[in-house]
Amino acid sequence: IRSNIVVLVFDAFDHFTMCYKCVGVWFMHCHFDIHSVWGMSMAFIVKNGKGASQTLPPPPADLPPC
């Protein structure tokens, strides 16, 4: 079993601890598409840390605005 997958049986739940080492937004979801439509997904925002390896570089100067 992969360490980033939690397998649940019908009508069950689980709890877990996540330790993120990469900055960014991480999407957590079920693999049934209809569940995302029902709101059974979430995003975790991992902010910059204190060290150089824990911080995103700034965007390039020539990056066009949205």
Side-chain angles (χ1 to χ4, degrees):
I1 219 170
R2 291 176 53 177
S3 64
N4 62 349
I5 296 175
V6 177
V7 179
L8 298 175
V9 296
F10 176 75
D11 215 18
F13 69 94
D14 197 357
H15 66 279
F16 50 92
T17 302
M18 296 183 295
C19 202
Y20 289 102
K21 296 178 183 175
C22 296
V23 177
V25 179
W26 296 90
F27 184 60
M28 181 177 162
H29 61 95
C30 176
H31 281 274
F32 293 111
D33 291 337
I34 191 67
H35 289 172
S36 291
V37 174
W38 292 343
M40 297 174 77
S41 58
M42 64 189 82
F44 296 95
I45 300 173
V46 180
K47 297 182 178 181
N48 285 337
K50 296 178 182 176
S53 66
Q54 301 171 340
T55 305
L56 282 176
D62 60 345
L63 182 70
C66 293

